[in-house]
Amino acid sequence: MTQLTLPDMGSDSKADVIEILIKEGDDLALEQSTLVLESEKATIEVPASAAGKVTKLLVKVGDQLGSFDAYAELEASAVAPNTSKSKVPNKQSTANASTEFAAPVESPVAKPVGEPEVVQATQTWVQPNADLDDEAELYAGPAVRRLARELGVALKDVKATGMRNRIQKEDVQSFVKQQLKQGGSSGLAIPKTPEIDFSQFGPIREERLNNVKKATAKAMTLANLTVPQVTQFDQIDITELEQFRQSLAERGEKVSLVAFVLKALACCMRDFPTFNSSLSQDGESLIIKEYLHVGVAVDTPKGLLVPVIRDVLQKSVLKLNQNLQEMAEQARQGNLSLADMQGGCFTISSLGGIGGTAFTPIVTPPQVAILGLSKAEMQPKWNGESFIARLILPISLSYDHRVIDGAEAARFSRRLAYYLQDLRNIIM
Ligand code: CAO
């Protein structure tokens, strides 16, 4: 058994134990901090002078210790303890050398047979008044300051519960817990929207949000906070596609433009697998999917729902159209199951039936991109000799810039144009 004792403190006066950084059963490493002592002018962190398992603590917070007092018993490990005695620099000399290590001053003393081996601290550093915060006169030991630094906590915000108004480790921990509960209210945390009594400006009424709207709000907030998004705008000439679509309609086959876009999009995702990926949780890798399911945003009386159409690459445009119409109807009727809305690799949001020239759809993680369709309109296009009327579809491709670069997004939207401008390219 080994006893840990304090080094020579350089005077007869005693220091208060203000923090105990170890507990019985701990495996102590050599020079690991064990105690924080406070004398009138300094805070001293005492490093372990031997490695081993702590079998007994001989002190408690509030005790007073002086030079060579024992404070713990240790079952020493194989690592040879450093048994040289040392002397803490006296306070005058430490005033200008706050982090200086004291040099050993005595050689090891042979221990009497049968007596516990006494291992004294060999090094310590003294920081005269270093724990006194100039601005707010805060007291905290080095270990607490280190913890606060690691957690990004400003000590002035922490309520102290220790002796002489000293901030303890537990105070920092409960401050962090409190902040997490409140959703954070300091530093870089997102400030809350101020609560305003709108009735002071005129009559109001309050409508409770339904579950769809609440889920959308949560998903959009998460998406906007976590994904650095960019939107690439482009225009696609769908004149021929529309003529083909109309000819199908004349034959009684009504096919949505979205079904054609689904097919062309799946070809693009096959060509650019990054668009069919998710960033791993630790941000270290990309998870590339070998399946290809696409969600389509549907405007329903309850709010936005996104049913997922499976295996888009393998399906014909007619099959995709059938899936789209069925899913959209189920969404409007409120008959979608949770499974119907899961597993999407990409999303299409079409506002073309309503209008608008462009918008910035929001990428919803873990997906890395979303395609917005706006209203196609006839536009004059120069063919080198004259202006001709062409049907132009505006698209808005938003992407997660952590995963997709701008050049890749531009190539992707050009590839989509390649497939939609001439559908024959899809079967090549
Ligand atoms: N350009 C020009 N006209 C378009 C068009 C476009 N991009 N897209 C649709 N139209 C026209 C067409 O004339 C279409 O009628 P026909 O197909 O008979 O000619 C008509 O608008 C209706 O289209 P639609 O968009 O309602 O129907 P759809 O089958 O093409 O799309 C669906 C299905 C589910 C995408 C759509 O009904 C829908 O819900 N869209 C809203 C999606 C949404 O809310 N997105 C925002 C999400 S973020 O808040």
Side-chain angles (χ1 to χ4, degrees), residues 199-221:
S199 65
Q200 63 183 304
F201 307 118
I204 55 167
R205 68 193 164 81
E206 191 169 337
E207 276 178 14
R208 303 291 297 168
L209 290 179
N210 65 32
N211 289 341
V212 174
K213 296 259 187 203
K214 278 196 256 183
T216 304
K218 246 190 185 170
M220 292 303 116
T221 305

Side-chain angles (χ1 to χ4, degrees), residues 262 293-300 304-310 323-332 336-344 346-348 367:
L262 271 166
H293 309 328
V294 176
V296 179
V298 179
D299 179 29
T300 81
L304 173 68
L305 288 174
V306 187
V308 174
I309 299 175
R310 318 241 148 212
N323 285 177
L324 172 67
Q325 300 309 331
E326 285 169 4
M327 289 294 223
E329 190 51 29
Q330 279 180 41
R332 290 185 197 109
L336 287 177
S337 68
L338 200 60
D340 289 332
M341 293 182 278
Q342 286 174 337
F346 195 109
T347 300
I348 293 180
Q367 295 177 18

